[in-house]
């Protein structure tokens, strides 16, 4: 079988694109756009429809899911949910089941990468309490978020693409939970396997220096609500109240003006946003300590 010129060109573009992805020198979106332009220049894709894919319902839905993910992150909803669901003093299996199950549930309604990123600090903290290598929790959590994406229409882009092709074939789109009967069964079995057996198969790697996995400190922005308990306190007084949590005030945002290292005698007003810094090992305790004073704006 002899390949035609268009077939040779498309294979060459695919090989070059995959090579650039593996090389990692250029951003993935730049490589993808370059591949699209190469297809247009070579005549493989008509110029009139080159960018029609950006208006595909699957692309728009994925963009909306990303907006939803950012909203959940900015409001601190995921952090509140994690503090409410995850057991504090349970054993390894129970804690892993709760963490991985939460990751799977979140990824059914938001981007799985976003769900993983939001739960990573908590996973690293739990690894210390459970005396496990961070990788033994992070890898199972990653698999859990992937499995959870199979349960809903918006959980993963392939489901949206298949739904779009089904509509173009005249069979109608899939509904939100049409994937749930099979997806939930597979995700449940997968989460159980990963939590009970899979994490044991992950190598407990240590760093070359023997100091383990270090994530440094995290920044948390919290907004002072009207009538909040923190209103009227000086920054120094508030730091004294949360001293046991290990969190420190490193910034203040007032009327869209950001102040770095604000003076300790400055009084807190309603609508202020305080930038707190906490070590990852004390992150959960720090968030719990300030929960009575603030509405969580976002955690990053």
């Amino acid at each position: 079988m002899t390949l035609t010129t268009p077939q040779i060109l498309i294979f060459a573009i695919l090989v070059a694109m995959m090579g650039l992805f593996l090389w990692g020198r250029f951003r993935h979106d730049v490589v993808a756009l370059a591949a699209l332009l190469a297809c247009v220049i070579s005549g493989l894709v008509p110029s009139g429809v080159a960018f029609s894919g950006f208006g595909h319902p699957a692309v728009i839905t994925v963009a909306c899911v990303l907006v939803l993910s950012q909203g959940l992150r900015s409001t601190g909803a995921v952090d509140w949910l994690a503090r409410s669901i995850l057991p504090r003093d349970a054993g390894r299996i129970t804690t892993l089941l709760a963490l991985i199950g939460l990751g799977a549930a979140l990824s059914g309604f938001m981007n799985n990468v976003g769900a993983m990123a939001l739960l990573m600090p908590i996973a690293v903290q739990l690894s210390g309490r459970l005396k496990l290598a961070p990788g033994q929790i992070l890898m199972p959590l990653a698999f859990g978020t992937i499995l959870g994406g199979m349960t809903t229409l918006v959980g993963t882009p392939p489901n949206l693409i298949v739904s779009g092709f089904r509509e173009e074939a005249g069979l109608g789109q899939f509904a939100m939970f049409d994937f749930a009967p099979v997806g939930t069964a597979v995700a449940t079995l997968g989460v159980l396997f990963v939590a009970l057996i899979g994490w044991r198969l992950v190598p407990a790697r240590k760093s070359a220096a023997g100091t383990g996995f270090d994530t440094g400190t995290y920044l948390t922005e919290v907004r002072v609500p009207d009538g909040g308990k923190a209103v009227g306190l000086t920054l120094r007084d508030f730091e004294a109240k949360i001293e046991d949590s290990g969190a420190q005030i490193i910034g203040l945002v007032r009327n869209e003006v950001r102040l770095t290292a604000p003076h300790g005698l400055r009084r807190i007003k309603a609508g202020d946003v305080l930038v707190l810094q906490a070590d990852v090992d004390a992150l959960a305790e720090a968030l719990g300590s300030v929960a009575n004073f603030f509405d969580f704006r976002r955690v990053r």
Side-chain angles (χ1 to χ4, degrees):
M1 180 179 178
T2 303
L3 293 177
T4 62
T5 300
Q7 290 173 334
I8 294 174
L9 288 174
I10 195 63
F11 275 119
I13 293 173
L14 283 173
V15 170
M17 183 174 64
M18 293 304 298
L20 290 173
F21 280 150
L22 293 173
W23 187 21
R25 178 68 179 275
F26 303 101
R27 284 171 34 184
H28 291 174
D29 54 343
V30 174
V31 174
L33 286 174
L36 174 60
L37 292 176
C39 290
V40 173
I41 293 173
S42 60
L44 297 173
V45 176
S47 58
V49 297
F51 299 100
S52 60
F54 291 102
H56 193 278
V59 177
I60 297 174
T61 305
V62 170
C64 292
V65 171
L66 292 175
V67 173
L68 174 63
S69 301
Q70 182 61 32
L72 291 173
R73 178 178 181 179
S74 298
T75 58
V78 175
D79 179 74
W80 172 85
L81 188 63
R83 294 200 314 272
S84 303
I85 293 178
L86 295 181
R88 293 183 178 272
D89 301 316
R92 287 180 176 179
I93 301 301
T94 303
T95 303
L96 285 172
L97 275 173
L99 179 65
I100 299 171
L102 176 61
L106 289 174
S107 64
F109 301 94
M110 62 184 293
N111 182 269
N112 65 314
V113 177
M116 179 69 188
L118 289 172
L119 294 177
M120 273 185 64
I122 300 173
V124 174
Q125 180 194 10
L126 289 176
S127 69
R129 181 173 70 80
L130 299 177
K131 297 181 180 180
L132 295 172
Q136 290 180 296
I137 292 185
L138 292 175
M139 187 175 289
L141 178 60
F143 280 114
T145 57
I146 294 173
L147 289 167
M150 300 187 299
T151 58
T152 64
L153 176 65
V154 299
T156 182
N159 289 359
L160 292 166
I161 294 173
V162 170
S163 179
F165 278 114
R166 189 173 190 266
E167 184 183 24
E168 292 176 2
L171 301 175
Q173 289 186 334
F174 285 114
M176 180 68 173
F177 296 102
D178 281 351
F179 294 89
V182 175
T184 302
V186 174
T188 301
L189 292 175
V191 168
L192 288 173
F193 172 80
V194 171
L196 297 175
I197 301 173
W199 68 271
R200 306 175 191 272
L201 305 178
V202 180
R205 294 190 177 95
K206 301 291 184 180
S207 68
T211 57
F213 185 84
D214 183 17
T215 57
T217 56
Y218 279 80
L219 298 183
T220 305
E221 291 186 359
V222 288
R223 181 182 295 275
V224 183
D226 293 332
K229 297 179 181 179
V231 175
L233 293 177
T234 65
L235 296 178
R236 183 177 299 169
D237 290 339
F238 176 72
E239 281 191 325
K241 290 182 178 295
I242 63 171
E243 183 178 3
D244 293 339
S245 69
Q248 293 182 334
I249 299 175
I250 64 171
L252 169 68
V253 181
R254 177 177 294 173
N255 298 325
E256 300 183 357
V257 177
R258 181 177 292 269
L259 303 175
T260 303
H263 195 277
L265 296 180
R266 186 181 293 272
R267 293 195 176 273
I268 300 174
K269 297 182 180 180
D272 285 351
V273 176
L274 298 186
V275 183
L276 306 180
Q277 179 177 283
D279 187 81
V280 65
D281 294 330
L283 183 61
E285 181 182 352
L287 295 179
S289 299
V290 302
N292 295 327
F293 293 90
F294 298 112
D295 288 337
F296 284 99
R297 181 168 181 249
R298 70 174 176 265
V299 180
R300 61 187 181 187

